[in-house]
């Protein structure tokens, strides 16, 4: 009779967190099913930004982009209002 020691190799890896242990993950092993985000796929149906759209955003928010500052909702909506090419985009 063969004994199932599948849990023992998981217990031998203290670097794994509780969720990984429950899923039977060990170092060097791939999970058979990837974890899915609890929020769902936020990129589903998203469209890549065209060169023209990128240029329009950079014209108005370039300084903030270069300094790493996040523009506020009002600033994003203002750029959308001024640039026709961005009308179909959300402010997010």
């Amino acid at each position: 009779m063969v004994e199932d020691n599948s849990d023992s190799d998981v217990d031998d890896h203290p670097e794994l967190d509780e969720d990984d242990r429950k899923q039977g993950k060990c170092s060097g092993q791939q999970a058979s099913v990837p974890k899915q985000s609890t929020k769902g796929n936020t990129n589903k149906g998203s469209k890549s930004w065209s060169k023209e759209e990128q240029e329009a955003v950079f014209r108005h928010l370039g300084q903030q982009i270069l300094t790493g500052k996040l523009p506020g909702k009002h600033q994003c909506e203002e750029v959308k209002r001024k640039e026709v090419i961005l009308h179909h985009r959300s402010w997010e």
Side-chain angles (χ1 to χ4, degrees):
M1 185 168 158
V2 177
E3 188 176 321
D4 181 17
N5 292 330
S6 61
D7 289 338
S8 65
D9 62 334
V10 174
D11 295 332
D12 294 338
H13 297 281
E15 72 277 5
L16 296 177
D17 64 18
E18 184 76 20
D19 290 335
D20 289 339
R21 287 190 187 131
K22 287 179 183 176
Q23 292 179 5
K25 292 183 185 175
C26 286
S27 292
Q29 280 187 331
Q30 292 287 335
S32 59
V33 178
K35 278 188 177 179
Q36 292 186 358
S37 171
T38 57
K39 292 182 180 180
N41 188 355
T42 57
N43 290 333
K44 186 181 276 187
S46 66
K47 181 183 175 201
S48 297
W49 289 75
S50 70
K51 187 73 171 169
E52 292 80 16
E53 289 172 321
Q54 292 175 27
E55 290 170 353
V57 170
F58 201 79
R59 268 194 299 276
H60 297 278
L61 302 175
Q63 188 62 35
Q64 290 175 313
I65 293 169
L66 293 175
T67 58
K69 293 184 179 179
L70 186 65
K73 180 179 180 180
H74 176 74
Q75 291 169 309
C76 295
E77 288 177 336
E78 190 69 21
V79 173
K80 273 189 56 163
R81 188 181 60 75
K82 291 178 180 178
E83 296 286 346
V84 176
I85 196 163
L86 300 176
H87 284 189
H88 71 284
R89 293 284 185 175
S90 72
W91 73 271
E92 299 177 65

